[in-house]
């Protein structure tokens, strides 16, 4: 079924681009900006490419999104809001990677586009620029939105008692992680392997080909090692140091970060942003290194269990996971705007859930081997700090979640009020073909109809 939908997308897309100049018409006007039928059809075709069933009603939602975007960009121009070129480059690259993946490869995508991907990237760049400006404008509209404890309480008390949400079991879990540390001699094996690849490139071999063959960075290897533009805060400090030191076209020596061993080539520099490509080798952990890690974590575990050191101190001093060690070892719920440590069990990493599901509150699991999301092996032990059974929402236990909901409601109201005011003061005309869209009723006023009949 998915293949049929993709083929349908390719046909829709090719017909659209082939006939664009013939069938195009203006379907909406917002101030001095226009929306074309081809823009609606192009976004609808991308919707089909996602593997979803064709649904013409989606065009109503696309129109609503584009109308909102035009209003936001109109205000952004007044407020002198700009988007960095590097941010546009990154978003263009991200979307092209997604489209190539869904189309089944770059060649398939170019067949449906009827043009090289590089040309299509130039065509969509203005649209993506506008979308990013709109996003930045909306962020400015809501930048001062905040909720006080009183706001949260009033929001909660306004919810009918029979409509209060129920929450599944939640836990607070901590970890101490020890990764094997390689000796200088053990590291040389991987450094020598990378140095051989670096010399091949210096002697004329293709960087992109070698990256695809040997790099162990799953996010960039398939793109020939290329990374989107990044600033000084994005990458590991050792990576950043070389990226901002070199000139375009220069190769770095082999260097080490927490992810493994790399070398990189700078491709382009724009102000305080750099685009580069790299090859990464992630070292395996030889048995001797794993044994050293086991001895280390067993010692830490025993100190914690014997109460010679509290868990938080142990994590802060020794844990090798930087995402948790600076939080006393506690794992954060990144899906919460408040970065709470309370995590629904259905959102836990399955490997962690299997361990803590049978643990008692206040207890520690025995150190065991694990593999992290980068494929790196190490040892860890877990601490079950809190376990809250399923329950109906209440302020005492669920304040962070209720605060999130109160914030979202207030945020939504601010944005809605902003659009209400701008719609009343802006010339808007929408094509009659969209009058049956319920979602556009707020946009189609008597003034809109009158303008459309002019």
């Amino acid at each position: 079924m998915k293949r049929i939908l993709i083929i349908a997308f390719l046909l829709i897309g090719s017909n659209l681009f082939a006939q664009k100049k013939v069938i195009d018409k203006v379907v909406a006007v917002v101030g001095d900006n226009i929306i074309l039928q081809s823009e609606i059809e192009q976004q609808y075709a991308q919707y089909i490419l996602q593997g979803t069933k064709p649904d013409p009603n989606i065009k109503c939602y696309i129109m609503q999104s584009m109308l909102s975007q035009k209003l936001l960009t109109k205000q952004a121009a007044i407020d002198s809001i700009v988007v960095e070129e590097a941010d546009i480059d990154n978003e263009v690259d991200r979307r092209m990677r997604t489209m190539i993946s869904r189309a089944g490869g770059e060649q398939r995508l170019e067949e449906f586009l009827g043009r090289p991907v590089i040309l299509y990237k130039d065509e969509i760049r203005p649209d993506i620029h506008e979308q990013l400006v709109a996003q930045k404008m909306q962020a400015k509209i809501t930048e001062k939105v905040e909720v006080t404890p009183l706001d949260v309480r009033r929001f909660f008390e306004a919810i009918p008692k029979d409509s209060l949400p129920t929450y599944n079991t939640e836990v607070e879990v901590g970890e101490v992680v020890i990764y094997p540390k390689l000796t200088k001699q053990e590291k040389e094996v991987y450094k020598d392997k990378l140095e051989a690849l670096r010399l091949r490139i210096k002697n004329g071999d293709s960087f992109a080909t070698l990256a695809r063959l040997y790099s162990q960075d799953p996010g960039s290897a398939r793109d020939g090692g290329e990374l989107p533009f990044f600033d000084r805060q994005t990458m590991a400090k050792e990576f950043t140091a070389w990226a901002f030191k070199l000139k375009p076209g220069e190769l770095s020596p082999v260097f080490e970060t927490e992810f493994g061993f790399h070398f990189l080539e700078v491709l382009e520099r724009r102000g305080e942003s750099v685009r580069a490509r790299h090859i990464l080798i992630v070292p395996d952990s030889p048995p001797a290194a794993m044994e050293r890690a086991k001895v280390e974590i067993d010692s830490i575990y025993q100190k914690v269990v014997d109460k010679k050191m509290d868990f938080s101190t142990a994590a802060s001093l020794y844990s090798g996971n930087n995402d948790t060690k600076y939080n006393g070892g506690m794992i954060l719920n990144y899906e919460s705007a408040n970065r709470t440590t309370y995590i629904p069990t259905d959102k836990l990493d399955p490997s962690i859930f299997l361990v803590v599901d049978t643990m008692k509150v206040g207890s520690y699991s025995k150190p065991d081997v694990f593999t992290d999301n980068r494929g790196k092996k190490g040892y860890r032990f877990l601490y079950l700090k809190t376990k809250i059974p399923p329950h109906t929402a209440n302020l005492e236990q669920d304040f962070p979640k209720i605060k999130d909901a109160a914030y979202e409601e207030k945020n939504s109201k601010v944005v809605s009020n902003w659009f209400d005011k701008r719609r009343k003061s802006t010339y808007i005309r929408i094509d009659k073909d969209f009058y049956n869209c319920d979602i556009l009723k707020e946009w189609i006023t008597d003034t809109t109809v009158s303008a459309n009949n002019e």
Side-chain angles (χ1 to χ4, degrees):
M1 181 64 183
K2 186 174 181 180
R3 184 174 180 180
I4 293 173
L5 289 172
I6 290 176
I7 291 172
F9 168 77
L10 299 181
L11 293 173
I12 291 170
S14 60
N15 289 336
L16 167 63
F17 287 104
Q19 301 175 31
K20 182 174 181 179
K21 292 183 180 179
V22 178
I23 66 169
D24 237 0
K25 68 173 182 176
V26 175
V27 290
V29 178
V30 180
D32 54 1
N33 294 312
I34 64 171
I35 298 173
L36 299 173
Q37 180 71 39
S38 61
E39 295 177 288
I40 302 291
E41 296 299 335
Q42 182 179 351
Q43 291 199 25
Y44 180 64
Q46 292 178 11
Y47 164 81
I48 298 297
L49 180 61
Q50 296 172 11
T52 49
K53 293 181 179 179
D55 180 3
N57 290 326
I58 294 299
K59 294 180 183 180
C60 296
Y61 291 89
I62 293 172
M63 173 63 87
Q64 183 204 37
S65 176
M66 296 190 74
L67 289 167
S68 300
Q69 184 175 300
K70 296 298 182 184
L71 269 187
L72 287 166
T73 54
K74 184 175 184 293
Q75 185 63 41
I78 297 172
D79 292 358
S80 301
I81 288 178
V82 296
V83 172
E84 298 295 331
E85 291 295 317
D87 293 334
I88 303 170
D89 291 333
N90 289 343
E91 183 62 14
V92 169
D93 290 342
R94 184 192 69 80
R95 294 197 191 184
M96 292 311 305
R97 285 195 296 269
T98 300
M99 290 180 69
I100 289 169
S101 175
R102 287 172 176 166
E106 186 170 324
Q107 184 176 348
R108 288 281 303 277
L109 183 60
E110 289 186 340
E111 287 173 0
F112 116 78
L113 291 174
R115 68 202 72 191
V117 163
I118 192 169
L119 293 181
Y120 182 68
K121 287 171 68 173
D122 289 338
E123 291 173 4
I124 65 172
R125 188 180 178 84
D127 293 335
I128 290 177
H129 173 239
E130 185 175 90
Q131 290 169 23
L132 294 178
V133 169
Q135 290 172 15
K136 201 168 182 179
M137 183 65 229
Q138 183 160 328
K140 182 180 179 181
I141 294 167
T142 60
E143 65 183 356
K144 294 183 180 179
V145 174
E146 57 182 29
V147 289
T148 65
L150 181 59
D151 292 329
V152 178
R153 179 171 294 279
R154 286 174 175 170
F155 171 80
F156 179 76
E157 290 174 349
I159 303 173
K161 298 303 179 186
D162 59 355
S163 298
L164 287 171
T166 56
Y167 297 118
N168 294 328
T169 302
E170 294 180 314
V171 292
E172 283 187 295
V173 181
E175 65 175 5
V176 172
V177 173
I178 299 295
Y179 290 111
K181 300 175 180 67
L182 274 63
T183 63
K184 184 177 180 180
Q185 185 176 4
E186 289 167 340
K187 290 179 180 181
E188 287 301 320
V189 176
Y190 302 99
K191 294 173 72 174
D192 290 346
K193 182 178 179 180
L194 262 183
E195 181 60 24
L197 294 175
R198 196 179 79 90
L199 289 175
R200 286 177 61 180
I201 291 169
K202 289 196 74 172
N203 290 329
D205 280 9
S206 166
F207 193 118
T209 299
L210 294 182
R212 292 188 181 99
L213 289 173
Y214 298 107
S215 182
Q216 292 176 275
D217 176 7
S220 69
R222 65 183 178 184
D223 296 320
E226 287 196 29
L227 300 164
F229 275 95
F230 56 88
D231 58 25
R232 294 180 185 272
Q233 282 72 49
T234 304
M235 301 295 190
K237 61 181 181 180
E238 301 88 352
F239 198 97
T240 298
W242 282 110
F244 282 86
K245 180 179 181 180
L246 300 173
K247 297 176 182 178
E250 289 184 335
L251 279 177
S252 75
V254 174
F255 60 92
E256 183 180 5
T257 72
E258 62 183 293
F259 303 101
F261 297 96
H262 319 242
F263 66 85
L264 65 82
E265 177 187 11
V266 172
L267 298 174
E268 187 178 357
R269 176 86 177 262
R270 290 185 180 175
E272 286 302 294
S273 294
V274 167
R275 185 167 66 89
R277 55 184 175 183
H278 77 135
I279 293 178
L280 166 70
I281 296 294
V282 180
D284 294 326
S285 301
M290 289 295 289
E291 182 59 32
R292 292 193 298 269
K294 185 177 186 306
V295 170
E296 183 179 359
I297 199 166
D298 283 345
S299 173
I300 298 167
Y301 171 78
Q302 205 57 51
K303 288 179 182 178
V304 173
V305 169
D306 293 342
K307 301 188 184 304
K308 294 179 180 179
M309 180 181 293
D310 65 73
F311 177 84
S312 177
T313 300
S316 299
L317 289 176
Y318 302 112
S319 184
N321 186 346
N322 291 333
D323 292 336
T324 57
K325 74 175 295 180
Y326 300 114
N327 193 42
M330 301 308 297
I331 300 171
L332 289 171
N333 180 359
Y334 289 100
E335 292 188 9
S336 169
N338 293 297
R339 292 169 64 86
T340 176
T341 52
Y342 289 91
I343 307 173
T345 52
D346 61 340
K347 301 295 184 183
L348 267 181
D349 181 318
S351 66
I352 293 177
F353 173 75
L354 287 173
V355 176
V356 302
D357 189 42
T358 57
M359 289 173 60
K360 293 181 179 179
V361 173
S363 66
Y364 308 94
S365 69
K366 291 186 177 180
D368 200 4
V369 178
F370 84 109
T371 302
D372 67 14
N373 55 13
R374 296 175 294 175
K376 192 173 180 180
K377 284 187 176 181
Y379 281 90
R380 74 177 171 198
F381 68 88
L382 303 173
Y383 166 47
L384 181 58
K385 181 179 180 181
T386 310
K387 187 172 185 177
I388 301 175
H391 62 282
T392 301
N394 64 79
L395 280 174
E396 183 179 353
Q397 290 179 305
D398 306 304
F399 188 86
K401 291 188 289 295
I402 297 167
K403 183 179 180 181
D404 284 350
Y407 174 83
E408 288 302 322
E409 183 187 62
K410 192 170 184 179
N411 200 67
S412 179
K413 285 181 178 178
V414 169
V415 172
S416 180
N417 290 338
W418 186 90
F419 275 110
D420 284 344
K421 291 179 181 178
R422 293 305 183 279
R423 279 195 294 263
K424 292 174 182 177
S425 61
T426 305
Y427 172 80
I428 297 173
R429 181 172 66 82
I430 299 173
D431 192 272
K432 293 178 181 178
D433 289 347
F434 289 89
Y435 280 11
N436 61 344
C437 294
D438 289 340
I439 197 171
L440 296 178
K441 285 182 177 178
E442 293 179 332
W443 294 85
I444 302 171
T445 63
D446 292 340
T447 305
T448 307
V449 175
S450 174
N452 199 53
N453 291 328
E454 291 176 358

